[in-house]
């Protein structure tokens, strides 16, 4: 079998790359281990982030389209959606930090990722993309003559040759590992995550995202609760654990004896999905030879759905330019480095849980959150900007902190978020 471009992975990045490359006249083959991409079987929040300039892009949602205003393309989507207008951080004692826009516009918009992928798959088919669902890519060799992939489907082993390869197989990318492209990346953490979908959680709000910080909640990391696209009575609960403290055990403790246990007293488990995530430092140069790595496969943790779609769009153009003799992969690399905030110096603030847990104990969290609970902070979802907005608000009270809690003041001053950092 032969293709101009082989794409491993039929997520939003892979499908968008396939559609774009095929529309530009290339013979494209997509290799995907799943049989049905519309079934979401991995933990995924399914939301568009509406921050201005998030990932160097500002989205606009129109009837039937998601418009990428700065990258100058649009993606068709006709599925269900609804707005999330409020975000809350809660301390162990219930003190709340509130993020929202003054005009009530959404922080994020929930959508059905399965329908989005199904629509892209159909558009790829219309563009002439060859699909190979139920296919595992177990080997890859990139040489001067192109790329050769070892495939397995229903116990039958075959090979596919292509001039170019786009790797879009997700955050734990096996093909990047096979090709040695992770060799110079730092493995920062391995996290086990399960999303529990539940009905009847007390205090659940359909148009809000809530994150609970503190040891008394019994989580290893902050606990996130938000609305599901399935219906307005079902919430998702995201629990992140480790090999020594796995999510099922955390779930028992959170719902049975933690500070949130009473909220789950009448709750019913609907379903659960999970994932294991290897958090690597990002690939600064996401290509070598004939291979381009895109989306979560090259990212620090993830690029979110909208970032994956942007990666796919630019990768499709990059590979077409490479066939024309232009430096398409180099051009993609410049766009990649300029677009995502995980190349900035503040990335470790996120990796360390907003520099709250485990740095501060429950009493300190209650005190800090109470300082600003009467304010409404800027309506941002951005996981890199949110800590800056929060700490900027807290440290407007620095004189009070220094006077009332001098030891806490000193801890803040010595932490990653120092008083000098925040002005």
């Amino acid at each position: 079998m032969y293709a101009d471009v082989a794409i491993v992975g039929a997520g939003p990045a892979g499908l968008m790359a396939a559609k774009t490359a095929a529309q530009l006249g290339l013979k494209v083959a997509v290799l995907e281990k799943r049989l049905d991409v519309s079934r979401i079987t991995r933990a995924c929040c399914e939301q568009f982030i509406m921050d201005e300039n998030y990932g160097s892009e500002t989205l606009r949602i129109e009837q039937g389209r998601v418009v990428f205003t700065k990258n100058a393309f649009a993606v068709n989507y006709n599925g269900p959606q609804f707005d999330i207008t409020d975000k809350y951080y809660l301390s162990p004692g219930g003190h709340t930090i509130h993020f929202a826009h003054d005009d009530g516009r959404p922080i994020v918009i929930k959508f059905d990722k399965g329908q989005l992928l199904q629509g892209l798959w159909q558009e790829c088919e219309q563009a002439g993309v060859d699909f190979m669902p139920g296919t595992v890519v177990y080997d890859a060799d990139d040489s001067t003559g192109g790329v050769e992939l070892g495939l397995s489907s229903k116990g039958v082993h075959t090979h596919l040759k292509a001039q170019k390869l786009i790797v879009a197989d997700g955050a734990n990318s096996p093909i990047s590992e096979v090709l040695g492209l992770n060799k110079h990346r730092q493995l920062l953490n391995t996290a086990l995550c399960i999303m529990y979908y539940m009905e009847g959680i007390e205090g659940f709000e359909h148009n809000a995202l809530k994150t609970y910080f503190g040891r008394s909640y019994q989580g290893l990391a902050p606990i996130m609760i938000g609305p599901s696209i399935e219906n307005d009575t079902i919430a998702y609960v995201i629990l992140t654990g480790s090999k020594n403290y796995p999510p099922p055990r955390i779930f028992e403790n959170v719902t049975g004896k933690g500070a949130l246990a009473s909220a789950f007293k009448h709750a019913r488990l609907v379903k659960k999905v999970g994932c294991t995530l290897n958090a690597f430092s990002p690939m600064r140069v996401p290509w070598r030879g004939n291979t381009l790595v895109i989306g979560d496969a090259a990212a620090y943790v993830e690029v979110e759905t909208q970032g994956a779609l942007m990666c796919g769009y630019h990768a499709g153009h990059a590979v077409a330019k490479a066939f024309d003799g232009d430096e398409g992969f180099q051009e993609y690399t410049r766009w990649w480095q300029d677009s995502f905030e995980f190349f900035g110096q503040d990335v470790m603030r996120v990796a360390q849980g907003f520099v709250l847990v485990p740095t501060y104990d429950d009493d300190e969290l209650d005190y800090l959150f109470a300082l600003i609970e009467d304010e409404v902070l800027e309506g941002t979802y951005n996981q890199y900007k949110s800590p800056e907005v929060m700490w900027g608000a807290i440290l407007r009270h620095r004189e009070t902190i220094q006077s009332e809690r001098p030891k806490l003041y000193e801890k803040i001053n010595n932490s990653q978020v120092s008083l000098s950092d925040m002005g």
Side-chain angles (χ1 to χ4, degrees):
M1 292 182 287
Y2 173 82
D4 294 329
V5 185
I7 299 176
V8 181
L15 290 176
M16 192 68 197
K19 172 188 169 183
T20 305
Q23 289 175 339
L24 292 171
L26 298 178
K27 179 177 173 58
V28 180
V30 173
L31 312 159
E32 169 56 49
K33 63 183 179 181
R34 293 171 295 170
L35 292 172
D36 183 0
V37 297
S38 70
R39 291 184 64 248
I40 305 302
T41 58
R42 197 172 185 270
C44 177
C45 288
E46 301 183 65
Q47 59 196 18
F48 291 121
I49 298 167
M50 301 307 292
D51 283 47
E52 291 187 10
N53 209 40
Y54 179 75
S56 300
E57 180 56 272
T58 301
L59 296 185
R60 188 173 71 248
I61 310 298
E62 297 179 349
Q63 186 65 36
R65 294 201 317 162
V66 181
V67 180
F68 292 74
T69 61
K70 297 185 177 182
N71 287 268
F73 72 97
V75 176
N76 295 323
Y77 175 70
N78 290 291
Q81 65 183 61
F82 64 87
D83 296 349
I84 304 294
T85 55
D86 298 90
K87 183 175 79 169
Y88 300 97
Y89 292 166
L90 293 96
S91 75
H95 298 288
T96 302
I97 298 175
H98 183 193
F99 299 81
H101 292 294
D102 292 339
D103 58 6
R105 70 183 186 274
I107 294 173
V108 300
I109 296 178
K110 299 290 292 185
F111 71 99
D112 187 322
K113 186 176 180 180
Q115 288 199 34
L116 177 78
L117 295 179
Q118 187 62 42
L120 282 171
W121 184 291
Q122 292 169 354
E123 291 182 51
C124 284
E125 288 183 323
Q126 293 167 6
V129 173
D130 292 325
F131 279 107
M132 300 178 66
T135 299
V136 173
V137 182
Y138 65 87
D139 193 21
D141 178 61
D142 186 348
S143 65
T144 55
V147 179
E148 184 170 351
L149 303 176
L151 314 179
S152 176
S153 179
K154 297 180 180 179
V156 178
H157 293 265
T158 56
H159 289 83
L160 182 144
K161 293 183 179 180
Q163 292 190 49
K164 303 294 180 185
L165 171 65
I166 294 177
V167 177
D169 55 349
N172 301 325
S173 173
I175 299 306
S176 295
E177 197 68 31
V178 167
L179 289 170
L181 297 172
N182 287 335
K183 185 163 52 175
H184 300 295
R185 302 175 74 186
Q186 182 183 358
L187 178 60
L188 301 170
N189 190 25
T190 297
L192 309 178
C193 177
I194 294 181
M195 291 182 71
Y196 295 86
Y197 290 82
M198 306 187 74
E199 265 187 326
I201 299 177
E202 185 178 329
F204 162 64
E205 298 179 35
H206 182 60
N207 296 105
L209 303 172
K210 295 184 177 182
T211 304
Y212 298 82
F213 293 86
R215 294 172 178 83
S216 64
Y217 290 117
Q218 299 292 314
L220 184 63
I223 297 163
M224 291 177 277
I225 298 179
S228 164
I229 193 66
E230 298 188 13
N231 67 54
D232 57 10
T233 68
I234 297 178
Y236 65 77
V237 181
I238 301 179
L239 300 179
T240 302
S242 65
K243 182 178 179 180
N244 293 329
Y245 192 22
R249 188 168 138 211
I250 296 174
F251 181 76
E252 290 180 8
N253 291 336
V254 167
T255 59
K257 63 181 182 181
L260 268 175
S262 61
F264 292 92
K265 187 175 181 181
H266 303 292
R268 179 180 69 88
L269 180 63
V270 176
K271 69 173 184 177
K272 59 184 177 180
V273 293
C275 68
T276 299
L277 178 64
N278 292 320
F280 284 99
S281 59
M283 286 187 194
R284 190 158 190 86
V285 179
W287 71 277
R288 189 178 68 193
N290 299 297
T291 300
L292 177 64
V293 185
I294 69 171
D296 291 352
Y300 165 65
V301 184
E302 61 181 343
V303 293
E304 306 283 353
T305 297
Q306 62 213 66
L309 291 168
M310 290 191 294
C311 289
Y313 175 78
H314 285 282
H317 282 278
V319 76
K321 288 181 180 180
F323 271 93
D324 289 337
D326 297 329
E327 294 187 341
F329 286 6
Q330 293 88 335
E331 184 177 316
Y332 177 93
T333 298
R334 289 190 290 272
W335 168 82
W336 167 250
Q337 293 176 357
D338 290 343
S339 295
F340 293 98
E341 290 179 272
F342 44 64
F343 287 111
Q345 295 180 347
D346 292 339
V347 65
M348 289 309 298
R349 295 187 181 189
V350 181
Q352 295 178 5
F354 298 174
V355 201
L356 287 175
V357 179
T359 305
Y360 302 97
D361 63 31
D362 287 3
D363 175 68
E364 291 168 334
L365 291 173
D366 282 333
Y367 175 81
L368 293 172
F369 280 40
L371 290 172
I372 59 173
E373 65 180 344
D374 294 330
E375 305 176 36
V376 178
L377 306 186
E378 179 184 348
T380 176
Y381 177 87
N382 188 325
Q383 61 268 51
Y384 305 100
K385 183 177 181 180
S386 293
E388 294 182 0
V389 172
M390 177 189 69
W391 278 107
I394 289 172
L395 292 177
R396 285 194 289 271
H397 301 270
R398 70 186 69 201
E399 292 182 1
T400 300
I401 301 170
Q402 186 175 25
S403 173
E404 296 179 350
R405 304 289 289 268
K407 290 184 178 179
L408 175 57
Y409 179 87
E410 190 63 26
K411 180 186 285 189
I412 295 170
N413 209 25
N414 292 332
S415 72
Q416 271 77 11
V417 179
S418 71
L419 301 181
S420 58
D421 287 339
M422 301 310 299

